[in-house]
Amino acid sequence: MPKMAIIYASGMGRTKTMAEAIANGALTIPGIEVVIKDAYDASPDDVLNAAAIALGGSTYNYKLIKSMDPYLKELAKLDLKGRVGVAFGSHGWSGEGVPTIIARMKSFGMLVIEPGTTSIQVPSKEDIEKCFLLGRTVAMGLVN
């Protein structure tokens, strides 16, 4: 059974809401295993057998939220070459979080779906729908 891991760091719960929508979309596809965890609670084992990895991080003070840094350092130790990667996150006025995650996933050798999915501040209904469809589309690609 293909696995999709969704790991996020969220300061105000906005990126977490996006992660949940991605997971809900993926779970509409029969035969997909979904793991969703806050970066504080996640371990590298959560992505070991994942065919697709979605990483979410909000932007805080013009940078990716710091709570994602330790997890990204752990991922750098793994062989993630050829895995599908997706980045998502909420931001205020700048939005550096998602491009930072994309660059890190590329440095791991992952096949990254670009440009990533973002929302400005609280995710709108349309943002949640985009996340849902993203999760569903990635999951469909894993089972076909």
Side-chain angles (χ1 to χ4, degrees), residues 17-124:
T17 298
M18 296 173 76
E20 290 167 344
I22 293 168
N24 289 338
L27 289 169
T28 64
I29 305 302
I32 286 290
E33 176 187 353
V34 174
V35 172
I36 179 171
K37 288 192 176 178
D38 186 297
Y40 282 122
D41 301 321
S43 78
D45 291 342
D46 294 316
V47 302
L48 277 183
N49 298 314
I53 302 167
L55 298 177
S58 55
T59 300
Y60 184 73
N61 283 340
Y62 302 100
K63 295 179 188 167
L64 175 64
I65 189 170
K66 287 188 180 284
S67 57
M68 191 57 142
D69 288 341
Y71 193 72
L72 289 171
K73 286 177 184 169
E74 289 299 314
L75 290 185
K77 299 173 187 175
L78 302 177
D79 181 8
L80 300 177
K81 289 179 184 70
R83 310 268 185 104
V84 174
V86 177
F88 63 95
S90 173
H91 63 90
W93 49 89
S94 58
E96 289 83 2
V98 167
T100 300
I101 292 172
I102 288 172
R104 292 296 297 275
M105 286 194 286
K106 285 182 174 182
S107 77
F108 303 154
M110 296 175 69
L111 305 172
V112 182
I113 298 170
E114 292 191 67
T117 300
T118 62
S119 75
I120 298 174
Q121 301 294 352
V122 177
S124 67

